[in-house]
Amino acid sequence: MSAPTTPDLLALDRAAQDLLFRAARTANTFTDEPVTDAQVAAIHDLIRYGPTALNGQPLRVLLLRSPESRARLLPYVSSGNRAKTASAPLTVVLAADVDFHERLPELYPHRPQARDWLADPTARAEHARFNATLQIGYLIVGVRAAGLAAGPMAGFNAGGVQREFFPDGRHEVLLLLNVGRAGPDAGPGRLPRLDTGEVIRTHDAG
Amino acid sequence: MSAPTTPDLLALDRAAQDLLFRAARTANTFTDEPVTDAQVAAIHDLIRYGPTALNGQPLRVLLLRSPESRARLLPYVSSGNRAKTASAPLTVVLAADVDFHERLPELYPHRPQARDWLADPTARAEHARFNATLQIGYLIVGVRAAGLAAGPMAGFNAGGVQREFFPDGRHEVLLLLNVGRAGPDAGPGRLPRLDTGEVIRTHDAG
């Protein structure tokens, strides 16, 4: 009898494995099909259950759909990311709310003093960035759970996007994400992945 | 006819939604059932397809199972996290390889010069932390995809864990994660989540 194959060792069914990870691909072109507010809300209603430290949930999401909104973003986007950002049905600005701790008395009610643990603004901003980034990981999975393709982009002027879209000074912009149905020739072939042995090792205490 | 409910707007089937997000919970107690290397490899073989910038894949994972390994970790873990870390069948140290760029010529072969874009160590460490954190988001989803519970912990002395387990100086420790089957009384009731309207807004360019 042969050893069980990887997909069989997981509780998640094979179709879901494919949808979220194995067959899912970062898209560089998109169809014209809109991404609706109801779809975005459904994605959020799924991924909001992903865990964050102190249940702080610092991720904030700004949706850009109109040509006017897009026109404000494009000057800050690197030249290689501009065409796909102009043509995606939805571009999302992902930011961390560095004052997320104000909500902790509601979000972490059994330890209302948690807000005070985060009084230091520098440590709090780092905490906000880290946990919002975890939530971006969940969000990318959630976009795929909706049958859509995600196109994350780090190539942009984060300071410029922050000033343009979050002038309040309480948000740090982390990533842009194009969202839509993948178009034809949406991306290059699957790039190589590291093997388990290159990423994971067991600590030998001896 | 009523509007479609949230789960119906997603392509992911309801059972998978529950397994990964809606019914999944951070666990604080675990059963004695071991988490095998085959399970860990299956989780990695799923989540390694999650996207990272420049396909850099900076996350590195150290598995602690033996009492000796655990004994080395516990002094660095906050008192509130110690009992569950001592009793989990597997504790994982999650780190970013800040020299991940050495692999880019293989991992991003169509732009072999990408390695040189990351010559600056400070910018590269930030890039490594951000993308490894995204991968931790995928990993938490992957642990759940294996039918296991994850217990992420930020309450520990990262510098101490780094010196003890990654003395090479090329890794930054980001998070600890207990993994196993959830035990009885594994956690408190579901904590409140922010509503979509509190997290997501549409940019009005006007």
Side-chain angles (χ1 to χ4, degrees):
Chain A
M1 202 182 106
S2 62
T5 61
T6 286
D8 299 334
L9 284 168
L10 299 176
L12 187 69
D13 63 90
R14 183 63 194 244
Q17 293 180 36
D18 287 345
L19 179 71
L20 302 181
F21 287 104
R22 294 187 204 283
R25 301 293 306 283
T26 291
N28 290 317
T29 73
F30 298 90
T31 72
D32 290 339
E33 188 180 326
V35 177
T36 65
D37 281 339
Q39 284 175 298
V40 172
I43 292 167
H44 179 255
D45 184 55
L46 180 71
I47 66 106
R48 68 181 177 148
Y49 295 106
T52 52
L54 306 176
N55 195 37
Q57 309 167 58
L59 180 67
R60 299 295 179 268
V61 178
L62 183 65
L63 309 179
L64 307 188
R65 284 200 186 88
S66 71
E68 295 77 14
S69 292
R70 219 67 70 95
R72 290 202 183 179
L73 178 66
L74 289 178
Y76 302 109
V77 174
S78 71
S79 56
N81 286 331
R82 225 167 267 163
K84 57 189 171 190
T85 304
S87 67
L90 173 66
T91 300
V92 174
V93 185
L94 298 167
D97 176 0
V98 299
D99 289 338
F100 73 97
H101 68 311
E102 293 174 0
R103 304 293 302 271
L104 286 184
E106 289 160 73
L107 299 177
Y108 206 64
H110 53 298
R111 294 278 169 80
Q113 69 275 33
R115 176 170 51 187
D116 305 326
W117 300 342
L118 292 160
D120 175 64
T122 305
R124 188 169 71 242
E126 187 182 333
H127 185 112
R129 279 192 299 270
F130 180 80
N131 285 282
T133 305
L134 280 185
Q135 290 185 282
I136 294 173
Y138 309 146
L139 178 64
I140 290 171
V141 173
V143 166
R144 293 164 165 195
L148 299 170
M153 295 180 295
F156 66 97
N157 174 345
V161 173
Q162 214 158 288
R163 284 187 299 276
E164 183 72 37
F165 294 99
F166 294 96
D168 62 8
R170 71 177 269 173
H171 294 84
E172 288 194 21
V173 171
L174 299 172
L175 196 72
L176 302 178
L177 190 68
N178 289 321
V179 179
R181 299 258 175 221
D185 300 320
R190 170 74 82 190
L191 294 169
R193 293 304 196 270
L194 295 173
D195 289 329
T196 299
E198 298 174 291
V199 172
I200 302 179
R201 63 187 175 87
T202 299
H203 181 251
D204 177 359
Chain B
M1 204 182 105
S2 61
T5 61
T6 286
D8 298 335
L9 284 168
L10 298 176
L12 187 69
D13 64 89
R14 183 64 195 245
Q17 293 179 35
D18 288 344
L19 180 70
L20 302 181
F21 288 104
R22 294 187 203 282
R25 303 291 307 283
T26 291
N28 290 316
T29 73
F30 297 91
T31 72
D32 290 340
E33 188 180 325
V35 177
T36 66
D37 281 340
Q39 283 175 299
V40 171
I43 293 167
H44 179 254
D45 185 55
L46 180 71
I47 66 104
R48 67 183 179 147
Y49 295 107
T52 53
L54 306 175
N55 195 36
Q57 309 167 60
L59 180 67
R60 300 294 179 268
V61 178
L62 183 65
L63 310 179
L64 307 188
R65 284 200 186 88
S66 70
E68 295 76 16
S69 293
R70 218 68 68 95
R72 290 202 183 180
L73 178 66
L74 288 178
Y76 303 108
V77 174
S78 71
S79 56
N81 286 329
R82 223 166 271 163
K84 57 189 171 190
T85 304
S87 66
L90 173 66
T91 300
V92 174
V93 184
L94 299 167
D97 177 0
V98 299
D99 289 339
F100 73 97
H101 68 310
E102 292 174 359
R103 303 293 301 271
L104 286 183
E106 288 160 75
L107 299 177
Y108 207 64
H110 55 298
R111 294 278 170 80
Q113 70 275 32
R115 176 171 51 187
D116 305 325
W117 300 342
L118 292 160
D120 174 64
T122 304
R124 189 170 70 242
E126 187 182 334
H127 185 114
R129 279 192 298 270
F130 180 81
N131 285 281
T133 305
L134 280 185
Q135 291 186 283
I136 294 173
Y138 309 146
L139 178 64
I140 289 171
V141 173
V143 166
R144 293 163 165 196
L148 299 170
M153 294 180 295
F156 66 97
N157 174 346
V161 173
Q162 215 158 288
R163 284 189 297 276
E164 182 73 36
F165 293 100
F166 293 97
D168 61 8
R170 70 177 270 173
H171 293 84
E172 288 195 21
V173 172
L174 299 172
L175 196 73
L176 302 179
L177 190 67
N178 289 322
V179 179
R181 298 262 174 217
D185 301 318
R190 170 74 83 189
L191 293 169
R193 293 303 196 269
L194 295 173
D195 289 328
T196 299
E198 298 175 291
V199 172
I200 302 179
R201 64 189 175 87
T202 299
H203 181 251
D204 176 0

